Amino acid sequence: MYQAMSTLGFAQESSYTGPINLAGAPRGATVLVLGAGLAGLVAAYELHRAGYQVKVLEYNQRAGGRAWTLRGGDEYTELGGFRQRCEFDAGHYMNPGPWRIPYHHHAMLDYAKRLKVPLEPFTQINFNAYVHSRSAFGGKPQRFRHVHADFQGHVAELLGKAVDRGQLDDEVGTEDKEKLLEALRSYGYLDKDLRYRKSDNSSGIRGFDQDPGGGLASRPVFSEPIARHDLLQSGLWRSLRTMSRYETAPTMFQPVGGMDRIAMAIHREVEPLVQFGAKVVRIDQDERGVEVSYVDTQRGGTTQQVRAQWCVCTIPLSILSQIEIKVGAAMTDAIQAVPYESSVKIGLQFKRRFWEEDDRIYGGISYTDLPIGQIGYPMAGQNISGKGVLLGAYMWGTNAYELTAMTPEQRVRAAVEFGAQIHPQYPAEFENGMAVAWHRSPFSNGCFGKWSDDSREKHYENLCQIDGRIVLAGEHASRMPAWMEGAVLSAIDAIGRLHRRAVATAVEKT
Amino acid sequence: MYQAMSTLGFAQESSYTGPINLAGAPRGATVLVLGAGLAGLVAAYELHRAGYQVKVLEYNQRAGGRAWTLRGGDEYTELGGFRQRCEFDAGHYMNPGPWRIPYHHHAMLDYAKRLKVPLEPFTQINFNAYVHSRSAFGGKPQRFRHVHADFQGHVAELLGKAVDRGQLDDEVGTEDKEKLLEALRSYGYLDKDLRYRKSDNSSGIRGFDQDPGGGLASRPVFSEPIARHDLLQSGLWRSLRTMSRYETAPTMFQPVGGMDRIAMAIHREVEPLVQFGAKVVRIDQDERGVEVSYVDTQRGGTTQQVRAQWCVCTIPLSILSQIEIKVGAAMTDAIQAVPYESSVKIGLQFKRRFWEEDDRIYGGISYTDLPIGQIGYPMAGQNISGKGVLLGAYMWGTNAYELTAMTPEQRVRAAVEFGAQIHPQYPAEFENGMAVAWHRSPFSNGCFGKWSDDSREKHYENLCQIDGRIVLAGEHASRMPAWMEGAVLSAIDAIGRLHRRAVATAVEKT
């Protein structure tokens, strides 16, 4: 079937073509998997299915790693000792890590399908959400649909003018000229004179001041486009790029009930193999196998050792670079080469879903140049009376470092104060919040591997090689930083190669 | 609260500001509602809540009118005697009429909320769906994301060129010029030389030939943009307009389980008041009340009469224009002035969700210049193995007339044949279909009132006036043709005015 589709030109762009086939695993072959995040879980699940004897060591007390969901009652203690208890009402949650799955992340979708994890749409593009800049329009948030329509309209009008005047005749042939003008008129919602102006037509894309109605007194009132100068100077057109990029364009998904559902489903398949609270302190190997030393964080005691023929290590480089590991210089250098991105996500519970009731924003994201970066509106429970939890901040870089330095309470307070500039309902409706600063995570010391182009060129292939009996996996060993799909594809690639190595080694011996 | 929001500039554009208040209904006042579609149901529900004695006559054997859902086991007989039985598997359905609710349809959302009808997102914009023209690219469907990205890129590049050359200096001042170039570079995914070309950058919006992956052999392969000339000549840029207009931009909703759920919820509130199978044949009035004559389509017998002080008539004009009604010349002329749009919708059940499994299209719509017009992909049950029902055709005008002339079986066959040009999997996977040609509906003789600008100017206000004791309502008495919101807003406007008239009349008499 895939062959047939390929011929018809419908081939998939993803390297993932279905469940990995690891037939012929050597009898009694053993694998240690370090880390029970998505990469580790997938590695353990597939190797176990193929007949390998697998053991998984995980430092945390739960599986899933950064694919994590916080719900009411959950507790979380950061480096530095800050302890938070999630006070969200039942049925509400936040995803401190990944929160969406693009349609082209075939591996993630396939695991959800095979393990029967229900998905629901995740809206990123919401034309009625806000775009906001402190230095534009007196700090008043604008609707995305206004910025979108007006930028497009002004661009179409300007290009129409240049084409109409013949100034681009060297570029656009006669045959194309009329088509281009027709296209600009359509695309830009221009009038017959190629002008973008207040009209039935432009209100048909940007919306009306008063929508058409029913019965008498139902005439629409057209809306006035934002002037080109104001729009250009505002910088709000930056959001247009974000909203149409391949990574986040519709359709996207989220698991019903929280992002950890997929990891939990894989974990259920390998539960007896996973040991929580096992902090790896040393990874050694020789020509016969791998020996991992770890501390039992719950029961304490002396360092323990576990051995296997092979090892898939999915520990984030931010942690692995602090652990003694016996690999060659090339991989050691690679492990040390990747700094981790800083990020903070803050979930806020409100008494009332004012963003829906007052602002008519159902799902999607508002963008701002305030330190909070984004406000993400929940997909579940829309158009129902009651409370809601929104993503009150999602930030990187300098802003994230500043908030990481604060206590969780201070971060939450900051998110409420900043957010009130976009939603003045915040202070009156706020109930409680959770703030996860990824650099304070004991399990990852950061958010994701921030490869520079230079480091990637120099170290990436060295990082991904099998070194003796050890192979690394995780989003850091992929070209899709921060995405779950990267972690999963990395794991699949790593175990595929490890399997071939194991088979070849077993054959040599016999 | 609304006042406060207004001051902050967050006022809603809709005329709907919450449940209508009909306080002070005259004791014992009676109202006849003709039609149990959405307008009739809303009128009956609100008048009943306000204390009016309400009776509803409905020709059909069910409530909801065109807000209708077909499920396995449903039967439907068209004018001409064509009878169809829906063979969809349990859990699958099609909406032959309305199928989506924009976020700004406040009245529809409010009724769903008040009556606790769960909603789910409806995706219209799907960047991975197809746009297709028989006369472009050898008839090979293109991905929306390619057309979208490349049109935008070419437009940005051309305008960048004109601006850079100084050809638009008379339009764009010095201060704006640099901003505009920066914006075009960002918006159009241009390189630093303002060129839209095959690169990491352009693949970041249009997608890759091979996506980045994990581990080794994970390098992305960039994709080649469609040449400007080919894109302009293809006409496929027409879909870009459709996808961003106010009426259908995200977020949109559908009721979980089918569009009839909202009508059913209102119907449950007024069930004892509604008489099905009552075909209205005459509407008379004098200064004291309204007398409606109807035939009981199930029990037959002689014409029966029912009287009330007031009447809200929601019968489509296509039908009402065939019924004797005692109103003035202005309203009579208005009733006769509105032709009804032709439309055909066809639901097709397939053994396998190949559009998801092979084509990676989850929800949304593919557009084509084939007579089928559109292919709409289901929102429910995505990423689950099994069957699926998609909307195999949604057409108007000439194409709809042609298919209306066919038998339902011929229409379904035509939809499968045409659709196979976009999805070659059709013939092998097809199971069964339902085809609703609205001009053959005994209950509406068409799809919706197709007002011309001239008719609207001359007749619309006359149509909406209260004539004696009769007022009309429905999508035809709104400025939102075909939309459920128009029907509901029309009903609310009509009963508000009728209520004031009833109160004033009662006061006069006392």
Side-chain angles (χ1 to χ4, degrees):
Chain A
M1 174 54 80
Y2 183 76
Q3 187 62 39
M5 289 300 106
S6 233
T7 312
L8 290 161
F10 293 133
Q12 296 314 316
E13 293 85 355
S14 168
S15 62
Y16 185 80
T17 53
I20 187 168
N21 180 356
L22 301 176
R27 191 195 304 249
T30 55
V31 186
L32 256 177
V33 174
L34 305 183
L38 266 175
L41 289 170
V42 163
Y45 172 63
E46 297 294 356
L47 289 166
H48 175 65
R49 275 203 325 136
Y52 286 90
Q53 290 178 35
V54 178
K55 184 173 175 62
V56 184
L57 297 180
E58 167 58 51
Y59 176 21
N60 207 333
Q61 290 298 324
R62 57 164 184 81
R66 283 161 279 176
W68 176 31
T69 301
L70 280 165
R71 303 181 180 85
D74 288 346
E75 295 193 349
Y76 174 54
T77 303
E78 290 181 341
L79 291 179
F82 296 137
R83 189 170 176 189
Q84 296 179 74
R85 193 186 134 85
C86 183
E87 303 291 348
F88 298 158
D89 280 30
H92 298 277
Y93 65 85
M94 75 172 285
N95 296 316
W99 53 320
R100 51 199 173 180
I101 306 171
Y103 68 87
H104 45 79
H105 284 192
H106 298 188
M108 284 303 296
L109 292 176
D110 192 42
Y111 280 100
K113 189 178 202 167
R114 284 156 70 191
L115 298 169
K116 304 197 189 311
V117 179
L119 305 180
E120 60 193 359
F122 176 98
T123 299
Q124 170 120 359
I125 305 185
N126 181 337
F127 276 60
N128 209 41
Y130 294 120
V131 283
H132 170 258
S133 167
R134 280 167 287 194
S135 53
F137 305 107
K140 186 168 175 268
Q142 306 296 303
R143 298 285 187 182
F144 175 74
R145 62 181 149 91
H146 291 158
V147 171
H148 167 82
D150 297 348
F151 185 82
Q152 199 162 286
H154 290 311
V155 161
E157 179 180 302
L158 279 176
L159 180 56
K161 198 157 289 180
V163 170
D164 203 36
R165 286 173 182 172
Q167 291 170 322
L168 288 161
D169 283 358
D170 57 330
E171 288 285 334
V172 183
T174 318
E175 196 189 351
D176 286 350
K177 194 167 167 177
E178 278 313 305
K179 285 278 183 200
L180 178 55
L181 290 175
E182 189 192 342
L184 291 172
R185 212 177 267 120
S186 165
Y187 173 73
Y189 286 70
L190 309 184
D191 65 18
K192 62 177 171 36
D193 303 322
L194 294 168
R195 304 279 285 268
Y196 182 68
R197 49 161 61 149
K198 180 175 178 173
S199 69
D200 185 17
N201 200 11
S202 63
S203 292
I205 179 170
R206 72 190 312 283
F208 301 81
D209 278 350
Q210 173 85 44
D211 287 353
L216 299 175
S218 56
R219 265 181 212 279
V221 178
F222 305 143
S223 63
E224 181 71 47
I226 304 169
R228 188 175 68 221
H229 171 75
D230 297 341
L231 188 55
L232 286 174
Q233 293 301 323
S234 77
L236 292 182
W237 38 262
R238 287 191 182 89
S239 64
L240 301 173
R241 177 181 178 84
T242 310
M243 294 245 182
S244 55
R245 64 180 178 180
Y246 181 57
E247 274 189 339
T248 52
T251 304
M252 294 212 288
F253 294 100
Q254 64 179 18
V256 175
M259 188 48 85
D260 64 356
R261 297 282 199 226
I262 297 173
M264 294 301 109
I266 307 176
H267 177 243
R268 269 195 298 277
E269 303 289 317
V270 294
E271 198 165 352
L273 317 178
V274 182
Q275 179 176 342
F276 290 136
K279 183 175 180 175
V280 171
V281 292
R282 186 158 174 270
I283 303 167
D284 197 8
Q285 63 171 327
D286 57 27
E287 65 279 10
R288 285 163 306 139
V290 180
E291 182 180 87
V292 171
S293 305
Y294 67 95
V295 175
D296 186 320
T297 63
Q298 302 299 298
R299 277 170 286 184
T302 55
T303 301
Q304 302 181 49
Q305 275 75 37
V306 59
R307 287 190 62 89
Q309 292 168 342
W310 306 97
C311 176
V312 180
C313 174
T314 72
I315 298 172
L317 301 183
S318 46
I319 303 288
L320 190 60
S321 57
Q322 306 174 46
I323 295 174
E324 193 183 334
I325 176 170
K326 190 171 177 188
V327 289
M331 186 179 277
T332 301
D333 289 350
I335 289 171
Q336 301 293 339
V338 187
Y340 265 52
E341 179 63 281
S342 176
S343 179
V344 175
K345 259 187 172 178
I346 301 174
L348 303 174
Q349 177 168 305
F350 293 95
K351 290 174 209 155
R352 186 171 75 81
R353 301 170 77 96
F354 53 82
W355 54 91
E356 297 178 1
E357 294 172 1
D358 305 343
D359 300 277
R360 300 288 165 172
I361 299 173
Y362 303 89
I365 298 170
S366 287
Y367 290 90
T368 172
D369 63 2
L370 290 165
I372 53 174
Q374 308 184 14
I375 296 176
Y377 307 96
M379 292 303 297
Q382 290 178 0
N383 203 46
I384 291 172
S385 290
K387 299 184 180 184
V389 169
L390 53 67
L391 181 67
Y394 183 17
M395 60 184 83
W396 306 271
T398 313
N399 291 325
Y401 281 112
E402 280 176 13
L403 266 85
T404 299
M406 299 179 183
T407 66
E409 295 70 25
Q410 289 171 329
R411 289 174 217 152
V412 168
R413 204 177 313 133
V416 172
E417 276 167 26
F418 285 127
Q421 294 186 39
I422 293 166
H423 292 288
Q425 305 98 323
Y426 261 42
E429 308 289 354
F430 172 71
E431 285 196 332
N432 61 69
M434 280 290 286
V436 173
W438 280 101
H439 260 89
R440 285 187 181 271
S441 160
F443 314 108
S444 65
N445 286 17
C447 188
F448 60 88
K450 195 182 178 184
W451 285 93
S452 65
D453 289 350
D454 278 0
S455 281
R456 178 81 76 184
E457 202 50 54
K458 197 165 165 196
H459 295 293
Y460 179 77
E461 303 236 330
N462 293 338
L463 188 81
C464 296
Q465 300 297 335
I466 299 174
D467 185 307
R469 292 175 167 272
I470 297 171
V471 68
L472 308 189
E475 59 81 22
H476 50 276
S478 82
R479 294 182 190 271
M480 310 173 76
W483 287 103
M484 295 184 293
E485 182 81 358
V488 170
L489 291 182
S490 151
I492 290 171
D493 180 73
I495 60 174
R497 288 183 286 124
L498 199 71
H499 171 70
R500 288 192 291 278
R501 178 78 59 99
V503 169
T505 307
V507 169
E508 276 168 33
K509 281 186 183 158
T510 56
Chain B
M1 176 54 77
Y2 183 75
Q3 186 64 38
M5 289 301 105
S6 234
T7 312
L8 290 162
F10 294 133
Q12 297 313 316
E13 293 84 355
S14 168
S15 62
Y16 185 80
T17 53
I20 188 168
N21 179 356
L22 301 175
R27 191 195 303 252
T30 55
V31 187
L32 256 178
V33 175
L34 305 182
L38 266 176
L41 288 170
V42 163
Y45 172 62
E46 297 294 357
L47 289 166
H48 175 64
R49 272 202 329 133
Y52 286 89
Q53 290 178 34
V54 177
K55 185 173 175 60
V56 184
L57 297 180
E58 167 58 51
Y59 176 20
N60 207 332
Q61 290 298 321
R62 58 164 183 82
R66 283 161 279 176
W68 177 30
T69 301
L70 280 165
R71 303 179 181 86
D74 288 346
E75 294 194 348
Y76 173 55
T77 305
E78 290 182 341
L79 292 178
F82 296 135
R83 188 170 176 190
Q84 296 178 75
R85 192 186 136 86
C86 183
E87 303 291 348
F88 298 159
D89 279 31
H92 298 276
Y93 65 83
M94 73 174 285
N95 296 315
W99 52 323
R100 49 197 174 182
I101 307 172
Y103 68 85
H104 46 79
H105 283 190
H106 298 186
M108 285 303 295
L109 290 177
D110 192 42
Y111 279 100
K113 189 176 200 168
R114 285 157 68 191
L115 298 170
K116 304 196 190 310
V117 178
L119 305 180
E120 61 192 0
F122 177 98
T123 300
Q124 171 120 358
I125 305 186
N126 180 335
F127 277 59
N128 209 40
Y130 294 120
V131 286
H132 171 258
S133 166
R134 279 167 287 194
S135 53
F137 304 106
K140 185 167 175 268
Q142 305 297 303
R143 299 285 188 182
F144 175 74
R145 63 182 148 92
H146 291 158
V147 171
H148 167 82
D150 296 348
F151 185 83
Q152 201 163 286
H154 290 310
V155 161
E157 178 179 303
L158 279 176
L159 180 56
K161 199 157 288 181
V163 170
D164 203 37
R165 287 174 181 172
Q167 291 171 322
L168 287 162
D169 283 356
D170 57 330
E171 288 285 334
V172 183
T174 319
E175 196 189 353
D176 286 351
K177 195 166 166 179
E178 279 312 305
K179 284 277 182 201
L180 178 55
L181 290 175
E182 187 193 343
L184 291 172
R185 212 177 268 118
S186 165
Y187 172 74
Y189 287 69
L190 308 184
D191 65 17
K192 62 177 172 36
D193 303 323
L194 294 167
R195 304 279 285 269
Y196 182 69
R197 49 163 62 148
K198 179 175 179 174
S199 68
D200 184 18
N201 199 11
S202 63
S203 291
I205 178 169
R206 73 191 311 283
F208 300 81
D209 278 351
Q210 174 85 44
D211 287 353
L216 300 174
S218 57
R219 266 181 212 279
V221 178
F222 306 144
S223 63
E224 181 71 47
I226 304 169
R228 189 174 69 217
H229 170 75
D230 296 342
L231 188 54
L232 285 174
Q233 294 300 323
S234 76
L236 292 181
W237 39 262
R238 287 191 181 88
S239 64
L240 300 174
R241 177 181 177 85
T242 311
M243 293 247 182
S244 55
R245 65 180 177 180
Y246 182 58
E247 273 188 339
T248 51
T251 305
M252 295 212 290
F253 294 99
Q254 64 179 16
V256 175
M259 188 48 86
D260 64 354
R261 297 282 201 226
I262 298 175
M264 293 300 109
I266 308 177
H267 178 242
R268 270 195 298 278
E269 303 289 318
V270 295
E271 198 165 352
L273 317 179
V274 182
Q275 180 175 345
F276 290 136
K279 182 176 180 175
V280 172
V281 293
R282 187 159 175 270
I283 303 166
D284 199 8
Q285 65 170 324
D286 56 27
E287 64 279 9
R288 284 162 307 140
V290 180
E291 183 180 87
V292 171
S293 304
Y294 68 95
V295 175
D296 186 320
T297 62
Q298 301 302 296
R299 277 170 287 185
T302 56
T303 301
Q304 301 181 51
Q305 275 76 37
V306 58
R307 288 189 61 89
Q309 291 166 345
W310 306 96
C311 176
V312 179
C313 174
T314 72
I315 298 171
L317 300 182
S318 46
I319 304 288
L320 190 59
S321 57
Q322 304 174 48
I323 294 173
E324 193 183 333
I325 177 170
K326 190 171 177 187
V327 288
M331 187 179 276
T332 302
D333 288 351
I335 290 169
Q336 301 294 338
V338 187
Y340 266 50
E341 179 62 281
S342 177
S343 180
V344 174
K345 260 188 173 178
I346 300 174
L348 304 174
Q349 177 168 307
F350 293 94
K351 288 173 210 156
R352 187 172 74 81
R353 301 169 79 96
F354 53 82
W355 53 93
E356 297 177 1
E357 293 171 2
D358 305 343
D359 301 274
R360 301 288 166 170
I361 299 174
Y362 303 89
I365 299 170
S366 286
Y367 290 90
T368 171
D369 64 1
L370 290 165
I372 52 174
Q374 308 182 14
I375 296 176
Y377 308 95
M379 292 302 298
Q382 289 178 1
N383 203 48
I384 291 172
S385 290
K387 299 184 180 184
V389 170
L390 53 67
L391 181 68
Y394 183 17
M395 61 184 82
W396 306 269
T398 313
N399 291 325
Y401 281 113
E402 279 176 15
L403 266 84
T404 301
M406 299 178 183
T407 65
E409 295 72 25
Q410 289 171 329
R411 288 174 217 151
V412 168
R413 206 177 312 133
V416 172
E417 277 168 24
F418 285 127
Q421 295 186 40
I422 294 167
H423 293 288
Q425 304 98 323
Y426 260 43
E429 307 290 354
F430 171 71
E431 286 197 332
N432 60 70
M434 280 290 287
V436 173
W438 279 100
H439 259 89
R440 285 185 182 272
S441 159
F443 314 108
S444 66
N445 286 16
C447 188
F448 61 88
K450 195 182 178 184
W451 287 93
S452 66
D453 289 349
D454 278 359
S455 283
R456 179 79 78 181
E457 201 49 54
K458 196 165 164 193
H459 295 295
Y460 179 77
E461 303 237 329
N462 294 338
L463 188 83
C464 295
Q465 299 299 333
I466 299 174
D467 185 305
R469 291 174 166 272
I470 297 171
V471 68
L472 308 189
E475 60 80 24
H476 50 275
S478 83
R479 294 181 189 273
M480 310 172 76
W483 288 102
M484 294 184 293
E485 182 81 357
V488 170
L489 291 181
S490 152
I492 289 169
D493 181 72
I495 60 175
R497 288 183 285 123
L498 200 73
H499 172 69
R500 290 192 291 279
R501 179 75 62 97
V503 170
T505 307
V507 169
E508 275 169 32
K509 280 185 180 159
T510 56

